Amino acid sequence: MHERQEMVRRREITDEPAVDDFDFPRVLNAIADPIRLAIVTQLAAAPGDLSCGSFILPVHPSTATHHFTALRQAGVIHQFYAGTSRMNVLRRDDLNAVFPGFLDSVISAAAKASTPAR
């Protein structure tokens, strides 16, 4: 009997902008929302891609879907399906190519804001 190797089928979601089409006000608006900023910071801290269900968010899943869509359509995250899971990854390299240092500054500032004062 031959061993069968299962490969997870990956399907792309295609409504995110190309790097040349990034719009800074749209990126700012996407990241300014506290729920979306939480998504960005959790992705930045993750060792790899995260499924939508693995985020800790204080909103209903259907509302979270809206926030993921806003981030994707602004170009902040890339989403794809791996099997039945919708996976998320920051477009860090793309954002740094167009807006150098911006994403890292946002993530750093968010971490400082969430750290209690001594």
Side-chain angles (χ1 to χ4, degrees):
M1 219 183 199
H2 295 284
E3 261 187 64
R4 187 173 152 211
Q5 293 182 353
E6 286 276 327
M7 293 189 67
V8 174
R9 207 169 95 200
R10 181 175 168 148
R11 290 180 298 142
E12 299 298 323
I13 300 171
T14 60
D15 64 344
E16 63 190 43
V19 174
D20 292 341
D21 296 327
F22 278 5
D23 178 63
F24 193 63
R26 189 170 190 182
V27 171
L28 280 175
N29 186 50
I31 292 177
D33 181 272
I35 299 299
R36 295 193 285 262
L37 183 57
I39 291 168
V40 168
T41 57
Q42 288 178 51
L43 273 173
D49 304 344
L50 293 176
S51 68
C52 289
S54 63
F55 288 84
I56 299 168
L57 300 171
V59 295
H60 191 273
S62 63
T63 303
T65 297
H66 161 75
H67 291 293
F68 285 110
T69 300
L71 288 168
R72 184 184 69 247
Q73 291 177 344
V76 178
I77 65 172
H78 172 67
Q79 288 188 310
F80 61 94
Y81 283 99
T84 59
S85 295
R86 186 178 283 204
M87 304 302 292
N88 301 275
V89 62
L90 278 178
R91 291 182 66 183
R92 185 184 301 264
D93 291 343
D94 291 342
L95 285 164
N96 280 334
V98 180
F99 313 118
F102 170 72
L103 185 61
D104 292 332
S105 295
V106 168
I107 292 165
S108 176
K112 287 178 186 173
S114 67
T115 303
R118 294 182 195 186

